[in-house]
Amino acid sequence: MDRPGFGFPCTNRIRSSAEYGILRNKGRKRHTRNFILYLYVRENGGPARLGLTVSRKVGRAVTRNRVKRLVREFFRLNQACFGDGVDISIIAKPGAAKLDFREVCDELFFLTRQKMVDKSS
């Protein structure tokens, strides 16, 4: 049974290495102790999209998948705050494996709040 609003459809994902390259070359970079965030506003609009990078330095497969689930849930819950045409790439650092959901949300909210302040000025 598919519940609307609770998934992470392909239209909300950054999938190709070319898109990641644009984000890294043209996007703004922010970081905290456990995450690096690249942000780029596309000209063509469309829904906000998320790309995740969680390397083996973060931990074994179970740990990496947990970090990805937590970050996706943060994105899903706060997607309306980003606006249309925004691409976000989040890179998890090794310390991200030790965070619970509240701590992940606190760090990522701090990074995205910086983005919103920069966008308004």
Side-chain angles (χ1 to χ4, degrees):
M1 179 178 211
D2 191 27
R3 297 179 296 179
F6 290 102
F8 191 63
C10 292
T11 57
N12 293 7
R13 299 178 192 178
I14 298 171
R15 299 176 63 132
S16 71
S17 60
E19 292 171 335
Y20 279 103
I22 291 170
L23 262 169
R24 295 219 169 73
N25 292 331
K26 295 183 179 179
R28 293 184 182 188
K29 181 180 178 181
R30 304 278 188 257
H31 65 90
T32 61
R33 179 177 294 210
N34 298 303
F35 295 101
I36 300 170
L37 179 134
Y38 287 92
L39 181 116
Y40 178 69
V41 180
R42 298 184 317 272
E43 295 91 25
N44 61 356
R49 301 187 307 166
L50 174 69
L52 288 172
T53 305
V54 184
S55 74
R56 285 187 284 175
K57 293 178 184 178
V58 173
R60 298 177 74 151
V62 172
T63 304
R64 294 193 310 268
N65 289 336
R66 179 183 169 276
V67 170
K68 288 189 272 189
R69 280 194 308 273
L70 294 175
V71 173
R72 281 190 203 114
E73 183 66 5
F74 167 81
F75 180 78
R76 185 186 69 80
L77 292 173
N78 297 288
Q79 189 172 359
C81 299
F82 301 126
D84 290 338
V86 175
D87 283 350
I88 298 171
S89 173
I90 297 175
I91 302 169
K93 296 180 183 178
K98 298 174 186 162
L99 302 177
D100 63 13
F101 183 63
R102 183 189 54 78
E103 294 168 327
V104 168
C105 288
D106 288 345
E107 282 199 38
L108 293 177
F109 184 71
F110 174 75
L111 289 172
T112 57
R113 188 179 67 208
Q114 281 184 329
K115 183 269 310 183
M116 289 181 222
V117 170
D118 290 346
K119 189 176 180 181
S120 65
S121 38

